[in-house]
Amino acid sequence: MEQEKSKVSVLFMLFGTLFCVCLITANVLETKQLSFGPVNLTAGVIVFPVSYIINDVVSEVWGYQRTRMLIWMGFAMNFIFVIFGAIADWIPGADYWHGEEGFHVIFGLAPRITLASFVAFLLGSFINAYVMSRMKLSSDGRNFSARAVLSTVAGESIDSVIFFPLALGGVIPWEEMPSLMISQVTLKTLYEIIVLPITIRVVAYTKKHDNEDVYDKDINYNIFNVLKI
């Protein structure tokens, strides 16, 4: 089915809202460090993979062009959140308020980490959407499970390869960097595999409800061509 110009569906709006909420929530949760035996993670791993699952669903149902718009919308909402958080952190608190230190930990994100997060998110998300799109065409719409997992591996790998060196290079030993990136990609991919039965049902329901199943034939993959949906 070729993509048609039409009004945005309610389901697409709900996915877009959830996508933005997950990104902003992950941004806050990244401030907490977790340890599971020898593996060190941030609490953002709890929710961030959900954004890739939504990316897969939107790519599968509405195609790359709608996904491109969704990614940029998520970026914009996250950027606005960070800016307002930074402004609030910069404004001195009231004399009677004693939560300055905790507030700063959450909202006073280092510019280096924030920039690394934005760049990694954009490139990782677009790689995920591109792989989903191309594999759907080459497989004639078959093997959604394999496409969802492989696109996540590709997107999360790019995300980790960009984020960790930019954000933590020189902060943690360089020899620890590969194992940290591999553990992040592995856990996030396992997350997707575990919830894959739910993802499959959501995709099937959404296609049936909206009567949409877009194949990205002869489209422009330029990530900046945002208004072309």
Side-chain angles (χ1 to χ4, degrees), residues 106-207:
I106 296 176
F107 293 99
L109 301 176
R112 178 183 176 185
I113 294 178
T114 302
L115 176 62
S117 176
F118 282 157
V119 174
F121 159 72
L122 280 178
L123 295 182
S125 296
F126 277 118
I127 288 294
N128 184 86
Y130 177 80
V131 172
M132 275 290 293
S133 173
R134 300 306 300 174
M135 288 187 70
K136 183 174 182 178
L137 285 175
S138 63
S139 66
D140 196 26
R142 296 185 295 272
N143 304 318
F144 170 76
S145 297
R147 290 187 281 112
V149 172
L150 291 175
S151 64
T152 294
V153 171
E156 293 286 7
S157 297
I158 294 297
D159 186 291
S160 295
V161 166
I162 293 172
F163 176 77
F164 288 104
L166 283 180
L168 301 175
V171 177
I172 64 173
W174 285 103
E175 59 268 22
E176 298 292 330
M177 199 73 73
S179 62
L180 184 59
M181 290 188 288
I182 291 172
S183 65
Q184 288 277 338
V185 174
T186 301
L187 287 173
K188 290 177 180 179
T189 303
L190 285 174
Y191 190 121
E192 168 131 6
I193 293 173
I194 290 170
V195 302
L196 193 55
I198 298 175
T199 307
I200 292 171
R201 285 168 174 76
V202 170
V203 167
Y205 173 81
T206 305
K207 285 182 178 181

Side-chain angles (χ1 to χ4, degrees), residues 29-44:
L29 297 184
E30 290 288 345
T31 59
K32 182 172 182 176
Q33 304 295 309
L34 306 176
S35 292
F36 295 95
V39 180
N40 296 319
L41 302 165
T42 65

